[in-house]
């Protein structure tokens, strides 16, 4: 299977990283958001493969607050969310936040899921490595769920995701990547509910899966909406 066929099959409707980032600018521009009046908050995996997307978002929106943990999970909590909000510009008496949250996966030349080439390494590498490691523990039946102080983010990732997996099942990597996206989205929305005051702030929820191809990166869009003056509006990247 070619890369393109695998992308269409597993992540239909994906757009390039550039079109995703600038599509959010166009879509949110219709609702009063722009670079100077908005702070972008970005959660992607720590993997350097996600850097081009994070850079594209920063080119589109300006310097972003870093929400990232392994796999793009949101472990910064209310304190992190509130810090970002305290850095936001206040224009016309309102603050505006654009919250990005993405899981990620590589697709190889032949459409192999999870495989990518990395400079200076002969053997293929895995992405997302944190999810592949979790999946390996699941398939080998020796899952450790206690909080390991020497492996905090991976412990939290496993604790957060295990409840989304049916007992005894080992999801394939595409499914696990989408489950991770769903958890990121849920955590984003819950913490927004706990920290954002719609009476004084507008915000956008922009989620998806970052797919790394052999030659370019893509985004499979997930939730795309804004809450403006307390009212939810759906966004299209168009
Ligand atoms: Zn990763």
């Amino acid at each position: 299977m070619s890369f393109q066929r695998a992308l269409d099959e597993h992540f239909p409707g994906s757009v390039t990283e550039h079109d995703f980032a600038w599509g959010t600018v166009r879509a949110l521009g219709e609702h009063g958001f722009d670079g100077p009046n908005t702070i972008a908050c970005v959660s992607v995996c720590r993997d350097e493969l996600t850097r081009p997307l994070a850079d594209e978002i920063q080119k589109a929106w300006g310097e972003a607050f870093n929400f990232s943990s392994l796999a793009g999970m949101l472990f910064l909590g209310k304190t992190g969310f509130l810090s970002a909000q305290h850095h936001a510009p206040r224009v016309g008496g309102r603050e505006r936040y654009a919250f990005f949250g993405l899981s990620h996966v590589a697709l190889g030349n032949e459409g192999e899921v999870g495989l990518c080439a990395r400079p200076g390494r002969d053997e293929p590498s895995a992405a997302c490595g944190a999810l592949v490691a979790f999946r390996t523990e699941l398939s080998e039946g020796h899952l450790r769920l206690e909080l390991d102080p020497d492996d905090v983010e991976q412990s939290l990732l496993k604790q957060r995701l295990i409840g989304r997996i049916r007992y005894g099942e080992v999801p394939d990597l595409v499914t696990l990547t989408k489950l991770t996206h769903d958890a990121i989205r849920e955590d984003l929305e819950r913490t927004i509910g706990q920290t954002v005051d719609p009476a004084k702030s507008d915000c956008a929820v922009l989620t998806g899966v970052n797919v790394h191809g052999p030659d370019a990166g893509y985004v499979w869009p997930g939730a795309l909406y804004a809450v403006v003056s307390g009212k939810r509006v759906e966004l299209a990247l168009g």
Side-chain angles (χ1 to χ4, degrees):
M1 189 189 292
S2 69
F3 162 75
Q4 190 60 49
R5 233 184 105 198
L7 183 68
D8 293 341
E9 186 173 301
H10 299 309
F11 300 101
S14 292
V15 298
T16 64
E17 290 166 343
H18 176 276
D19 287 353
F20 175 74
W22 291 93
T24 64
V25 172
R26 275 192 300 276
L28 282 169
E30 295 175 19
H31 300 286
F33 294 73
D34 60 28
N37 73 18
T38 302
I39 186 165
C41 304
V42 181
S43 188
V44 289
C45 184
R46 296 181 177 280
D47 191 329
E48 70 279 8
L49 287 176
T50 66
R51 183 47 44 196
L53 173 62
D55 285 349
E56 205 64 61
I57 291 170
Q58 293 208 130
K59 269 188 244 164
W61 285 102
E63 287 295 336
F65 195 102
N66 184 359
F67 272 22
S68 301
S69 296
L70 288 179
M73 297 294 287
L74 285 164
F75 297 141
L76 73 163
K78 287 190 286 186
T79 303
F81 272 70
L82 287 168
S83 298
Q85 290 166 30
H86 291 146
H87 302 177
R90 195 172 291 142
V91 177
R94 289 191 79 73
E95 297 177 7
R96 293 170 183 84
Y97 323 121
F99 295 110
F100 290 84
L102 298 101
S103 59
H104 79 130
V105 68
L107 287 183
N109 243 329
E110 312 293 327
E112 314 94 308
V113 177
L115 290 190
C116 59
R118 294 189 194 258
R121 295 190 75 97
D122 294 333
E123 72 281 10
S125 178
C128 173
L131 294 185
V132 169
F134 174 40
R135 204 177 162 274
T136 302
E137 278 195 29
L138 284 172
S139 60
E140 292 178 352
H142 62 76
L143 187 64
R144 297 182 52 191
L145 284 175
E146 74 276 16
L147 184 65
D148 178 353
D150 296 322
D151 205 3
V152 171
E153 288 188 15
Q154 185 69 1
S155 302
L156 292 174
L157 177 152
K158 290 188 283 184
Q159 290 177 355
R160 181 67 184 88
L161 295 182
I162 192 66
R164 310 190 80 92
I165 296 167
R166 219 146 33 136
Y167 184 75
E169 267 186 17
V170 181
D172 62 61
L173 191 55
V174 169
T175 303
L176 186 57
T177 305
K178 290 181 178 176
L179 290 176
T180 305
H181 162 267
D182 296 346
I184 293 168
R185 173 184 173 168
E186 217 174 86
D187 292 349
L188 192 54
E189 291 175 328
R190 190 183 63 259
T191 318
I192 287 171
Q194 292 165 346
T195 59
V196 174
D197 178 0
K200 70 177 182 72
S201 310
D202 300 331
C203 74
V205 172
L206 308 154
T207 70
V209 176
N210 188 194
V211 182
H212 317 291
D215 304 310
Y218 298 82
V219 173
W220 180 67
L224 298 170
Y225 65 87
V227 179
V228 180
S229 302
K231 282 196 195 126
R232 176 172 164 144
V233 286
E234 301 302 320
L235 304 171
L237 292 176

